[in-house]
Amino acid sequence: MATQAFPRLREVVELTELAARVYRYLKPQEYVGRLAPSRGTLLQRDLGIAEIEVSSEFLDPITFLSTTHFREPIVDALRSINTSLQRVSDAVPVLPLTHAMGLGKTHLLTLLYHLYTKVPQQWADIQSYLPDEAKTLTQKTNYRIDVAEKTLVIALDLKHIPGNMLPYNALFNIMHKVFTKYKKSSLIQRVPQSKLAELESLLTRLSMYDPKEAARELVNKLSELAVTTPILIIVDEVYAGIFEAIMGASREYIDSIRRTIMFLNILVDELRGRIPAILIYASAM
């Protein structure tokens, strides 16, 4: 059977100015399967968990924002999410994402990750290079830099777990890496050093706790800080990850999936009425 030949992108599509700069001279092996990375792939590359090739515009928040079209469904979803992270609720909001919602699930999840990790660190440049996007974020979606700086991000892609980890361990490993790379420097200005050290130490040990104890210890430790630290929980490929595990994974892996879901359920209960939070989960199904 003859090998299928993929053309260069410039031969089959009319590229925008931005896309031309990024893709025009890519060879097929450099773009097939790589142009839209999974959340798990993005997390692993951004946090240094694995050396995976990811197109630069997905990693750079300024470039990514420049490709974002703030249509009404996305603006509405962002406003709801951002507002939820600014106030304590009796019930933590849960937002399921499906393709039928017309949001662009993959793009929205990547956007959220950037908004609550990298964007606060590069906000001055964003205001300078992308003034319209910055204005849209602050005026139309209720995005606040001071809240984003201190929001703890819990992110996991259940279909793309780092190869050497179980899901439960990966969840806390990613949480700790996001904290040290994006949150610690901001919180140092707001939280007593001893309390911050205790929180960081706990994040390195949470995978050794059972789900109920881990959730309670995390919320209790956050409640002891001198500032409110909202929690943004993003879980991608929920159904696919669970289905694939049931169909062929080891008993140990399946149990780790179970513990992960249990932790998230208990965490949502523990957060009610105490800390601003929102849970966003997505799946292609």
Side-chain angles (χ1 to χ4, degrees):
M1 180 180 295
T3 303
Q4 182 179 5
F6 289 94
R8 290 178 180 270
L9 288 189
R10 64 179 177 178
E11 298 171 357
V12 294
V13 297
E14 181 179 353
L15 302 177
T16 64
E17 181 181 353
L18 173 65
R21 294 201 306 269
V22 176
Y23 295 130
R24 181 177 296 278
Y25 300 106
L26 289 182
K27 298 176 181 178
Q29 62 267 28
E30 295 175 310
Y31 71 79
V32 174
R34 293 181 181 176
L35 299 188
S38 67
R39 295 319 92 228
T41 300
L42 178 68
L43 287 170
Q44 291 179 56
R45 176 65 176 82
D46 183 56
L47 299 174
I49 297 172
E51 287 297 323
I52 302 173
E53 289 192 50
V54 174
S55 299
S56 60
E57 80 276 16
F58 291 99
L59 292 168
D60 176 61
I62 295 178
T63 307
F64 191 79
L65 277 172
S66 73
T67 67
T68 299
H69 299 286
F70 288 95
R71 297 176 291 109
E72 185 175 351
I74 287 186
V75 169
D76 290 345
L78 287 175
R79 186 187 306 112
S80 176
I81 293 166
N82 294 335
T83 301
S84 295
L85 293 169
Q86 296 170 24
R87 63 190 184 198
V88 176
S89 301
D90 292 334
V92 172
V94 176
L95 176 62
L97 297 182
T98 66
H99 287 304
M101 295 175 69
L103 293 173
K105 176 179 73 72
T106 299
H107 196 93
L108 178 60
L109 292 179
T110 302
L111 177 60
L112 285 172
Y113 178 74
H114 284 314
L115 288 177
Y116 285 90
T117 55
K118 298 181 180 183
V119 167
Q121 297 179 348
Q122 299 185 40
W123 186 244
D125 288 337
I126 290 170
Q127 288 181 304
S128 176
Y129 294 117
L130 301 172
D132 291 339
E133 287 80 355
K135 185 176 180 180
T136 296
L137 285 171
T138 55
Q139 296 187 8
K140 294 185 178 181
T141 77
N142 198 26
Y143 178 69
R144 287 176 48 184
I145 290 296
D146 62 322
V147 173
E149 284 179 330
K150 58 187 180 179
T151 295
L152 184 64
V153 178
I154 301 176
L156 189 66
D157 182 333
L158 284 175
K159 190 177 180 181
H160 301 94
I161 302 294
N164 61 341
M165 297 184 194
L166 294 170
Y168 194 66
N169 300 79
L171 176 72
F172 297 116
N173 180 269
I174 291 170
M175 189 191 312
H176 178 245
K177 287 183 178 296
V178 170
F179 173 81
T180 56
K181 185 173 183 177
Y182 295 115
K183 304 301 172 181
K184 186 176 178 180
S185 60
S186 175
L187 289 174
I188 284 176
Q189 311 301 322
R190 300 178 170 96
V191 178
Q193 187 173 352
S194 60
K195 293 295 183 182
L196 198 61
E198 290 175 4
L199 174 60
E200 184 171 8
S201 176
L202 176 65
L203 293 178
T204 65
R205 296 180 281 109
L206 281 177
S207 63
M208 297 184 288
Y209 294 26
D210 68 65
K212 179 181 291 187
E213 186 178 11
R216 289 179 176 175
E217 286 293 324
L218 177 60
V219 175
N220 287 339
K221 189 62 64 179
L222 291 175
S223 298
E224 295 174 1
L225 301 181
V227 297
T228 299
T229 53
I231 297 185
L232 171 62
I233 308 168
I234 306 172
V235 187
D236 198 9
E237 298 292 0
V238 174
Y239 299 137
I242 293 174
F243 179 78
E244 290 182 5
I246 292 174
M247 293 302 293
S250 67
R251 183 170 297 180
E252 180 184 28
Y253 192 94
I254 293 173
D255 183 63
S256 186
I257 289 267
R258 180 189 63 80
R259 286 158 56 84
T260 300
I261 300 301
M262 184 180 298
F263 166 79
L264 295 173
N265 284 334
I266 297 171
L267 178 62
V268 167
D269 285 338
E270 291 290 327
L271 290 168
R272 290 187 304 172
R274 300 177 67 181
I275 295 174
I278 186 169
L279 167 62
I280 303 161
Y281 72 90
S283 182
M285 296 178 63

